[in-house]
Amino acid sequence: MSDHPTQLDPPGPRITPQTLRWTQALGLGPLFVRRSVLEQQGMPQSPAAAASHPLAVSVAAPMQDAPAAHAITAAAQPRSATQPPPAVFSRSNTERVSAIARMGWDELQATTQACRACKLGGSRHQAVFGSGSSQARWMIVGEAPGAEEDRQGEPFVGAAGQLLDAMLHAIGLDRRADDPQRAVYIANVLKCRPPGNRNPEPEEVAQCAPLLQRQIALLQPGLILALGRFAAQSLLGSNAPISQLRGRVHQFVGIPVIVSYHPAYLLRNPADKARVWRDLCFARNTVSRAAQD
Ligand code: URA
């Protein structure tokens, strides 16, 4: 696996069990680190850097909903009989964050479906949690659900999603595959549709961050492909344009991240498909090399 340093992995203090305990107690977490990294005692990101990262959780930010909405119940959300009820959160965002950091897939999904942590919870039709195999080595991260995703409850199912499927097939991947070599897991930075497909707001990203962080921690993908400026900048804590972020292996808490254009952009700018093809080949080679290490 390539290990290029980025702004996400400055030399930081070594992680100790105490470090993990106090960062979680302070609500700075979820500070998750690949097990292999922890075992090597190599810290890809200091707690301070983690806290200032765009996907870090704002402990100070209160939840925006009215008190009654804090007691989240599953009543309004469809849920299978096997799913556990979503967590009932207190008013404290710190408690919310540390509860999310301990959730398994089913509880995380149920909690996402019931989430009212920001105003998007009031305008969406349904939250779009993510789709694909929990065994996938590839994770695709997009921006936010659009109208079609909001209707169907699955990420990337509109026109951009069809192009994404074609891009994935071109490198032998399939969102419906179970085989970890071909499987992908697809998620967005935001789980709820911003009205009118406007850009996500910082508070929305802050409230959604623990959900995406937990998805990444549970999945432990071999590679994250960040599609579009918003996903790339959110994951990498950067303001740099896509053109500067492409073509390198970045890291998100020890997991390689490769950046490419968003399929919706490609629909408007088909001439850039050749660039995306290069990015996909680069990503595929990066995953293959990591598998050989
Ligand atoms: N665009 C995204 O970024 N995500 C989706 O799920 C759909 C469109």
Side-chain angles (χ1 to χ4, degrees):
M1 178 191 307
S2 190
D3 202 17
H4 301 278
T6 71
Q7 61 270 57
L8 262 186
D9 49 5
R14 290 151 70 86
I15 290 189
T16 63
Q18 287 85 350
T19 313
L20 288 174
R21 267 199 299 277
W22 69 252
T23 50
Q24 295 215 328
L26 287 174
L28 293 176
L31 181 63
F32 59 86
V33 182
R34 298 190 90 189
R35 274 184 296 278
S36 57
V37 175
L38 252 184
E39 279 159 11
Q40 293 159 13
Q41 289 287 300
M43 171 75 169
Q45 187 179 8
S46 71
S52 63
H53 188 271
L55 282 185
V57 173
S58 154
V59 223
M63 292 176 72
Q64 290 196 335
D65 42 348
H70 286 280
I72 297 168
T73 68
Q77 300 292 332
R79 171 159 78 74
S80 84
T82 53
Q83 276 179 322
V88 176
F89 293 131
S90 77
R91 282 167 157 269
S92 152
N93 206 37
T94 307
E95 285 171 37
R96 172 179 183 261
V97 169
S98 45
I100 289 172
R102 291 190 299 271
M103 287 177 185
W105 280 111
D106 289 348
E107 192 182 6
L108 186 65
Q109 178 159 11
T111 297
T112 303
Q113 294 299 346
C115 183
R116 294 282 186 275
C118 80
K119 59 182 179 296
L120 296 183
S123 59
R124 67 166 188 235
H125 180 246
Q126 60 187 317
V128 178
F129 178 66
S131 74
S133 166
S134 59
Q135 305 301 313
R137 296 176 65 196
W138 289 70
M139 181 174 196
I140 314 293
V141 178
E143 178 174 322
E148 201 50 41
E149 290 76 20
D150 182 59
R151 251 191 301 277
Q152 296 191 33
E154 187 177 344
F156 281 104
V157 288
Q162 285 169 18
L163 179 55
L164 174 62
D165 283 341
M167 288 161 51
L168 296 176
H169 285 158
I171 53 166
L173 302 176
D174 183 343
R175 72 160 87 194
R176 308 274 173 230
D178 288 329
D179 165 15
Q181 308 297 325
R182 299 181 55 231
V184 291
Y185 187 86
I186 305 177
N188 286 307
V189 173
L190 289 194
K191 309 305 183 205
C192 297
R193 181 191 183 211
N197 296 342
R198 66 158 167 74
N199 285 339
E201 293 175 0
E203 171 62 12
E204 294 158 2
V205 177
Q207 295 295 347
C208 250
L211 302 169
L212 179 61
Q213 288 182 331
R214 188 61 189 153
Q215 285 176 303
I216 296 172
L218 287 168
L219 190 66
Q220 290 284 307
L223 181 112
I224 298 174
L225 183 62
L227 295 180
R229 178 179 66 89
F230 187 80
Q233 292 182 345
S234 300
L235 279 168
L236 301 178
S238 167
N239 290 324
I242 292 274
S243 55
Q244 280 174 26
L245 296 172
R246 289 178 55 241
R248 284 193 292 148
V249 181
H250 306 267
Q251 303 276 320
F252 180 76
V253 287
I255 296 171
V257 178
I258 287 178
V259 170
S260 192
Y261 292 105
H262 194 285
Y265 164 88
L266 274 189
L267 290 172
R268 298 189 302 271
N269 301 275
D272 276 331
K273 281 185 180 171
R275 290 199 168 107
V276 172
W277 175 243
R278 282 200 292 277
D279 297 337
L280 292 174
C281 292
F282 178 46
R284 189 180 52 187
N285 292 341
T286 302
V287 170
S288 304
R289 268 200 310 275
Q292 286 158 14
D293 285 348

